[in-house]
């Protein structure tokens, strides 16, 4: 039994939708970061599926770049969350007023 391209694209769409919903409806900064990671991985799945389907390795190379960007984003995001938590003792994004002087 072979898994077709449509199954990969459907799974990617479900993962991306879950990431968007998690980002929009949750107020916890860590959950929002995890939702962004889920969206990036959904895009990675799409790139790998199309790359495999078309027999072109450029999509897989692009996935490595996206994974590197996602790792950097996660590291910086978690560092910001830790810094904010130390000052405000909360990670609820509705309680942040960092741009307000």
């Amino acid at each position: 039994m072979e898994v077709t391209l449509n199954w990969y694209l459907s799974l990617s769409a479900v993962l991306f939708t879950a990431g968007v919903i998690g980002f929009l409806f949750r107020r916890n900064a860590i959950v929002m970061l995890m939702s962004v990671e889920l969206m990036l991985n959904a895009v990675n799945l799409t790139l790998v599926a199309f790359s495999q389907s078309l027999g072109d390795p450029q999509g897989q190379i692009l996935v490595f770049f996206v994974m590197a960007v996602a790792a950097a984003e996660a590291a910086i995001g978690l560092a910001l969350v830790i810094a904010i938590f130390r000052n405000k003792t909360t990670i609820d994004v509705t309680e942040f007023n960092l741009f307000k002087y």
Side-chain angles (χ1 to χ4, degrees):
M1 182 177 148
E2 181 177 325
V3 180
T4 62
L5 179 63
N6 291 334
W7 286 101
Y8 290 115
L9 295 179
S10 299
L11 177 63
S12 176
V14 168
L15 290 174
F16 193 83
T17 304
V20 168
I21 290 171
F23 186 80
L24 292 178
F25 293 113
R26 298 297 300 261
R27 296 295 130 219
N28 188 327
I30 293 176
V31 173
M32 292 174 77
L33 281 173
M34 289 173 43
S35 297
V36 170
E37 293 293 327
L38 188 61
M39 288 188 282
L40 287 172
N41 284 324
V43 172
N44 284 343
L45 179 62
T46 302
L47 286 172
V48 169
F50 274 121
S51 175
Q52 180 66 29
S53 175
L54 299 174
D56 187 11
Q58 289 181 350
Q60 296 173 5
I61 294 170
L62 185 60
V63 166
F64 285 121
F65 178 72
V66 172
M67 288 171 63
V69 170
E73 174 261 332
I76 292 171
L78 287 175
L80 288 172
V81 168
I82 289 171
I84 291 170
F85 181 76
R86 285 184 179 169
N87 289 333
K88 303 286 184 181
T89 64
T90 183
I91 52 174
D92 188 0
V93 294
T94 59
E95 297 181 14
F96 298 162
N97 290 325
L98 298 177
F99 295 116
K100 188 177 180 181
Y101 58 91

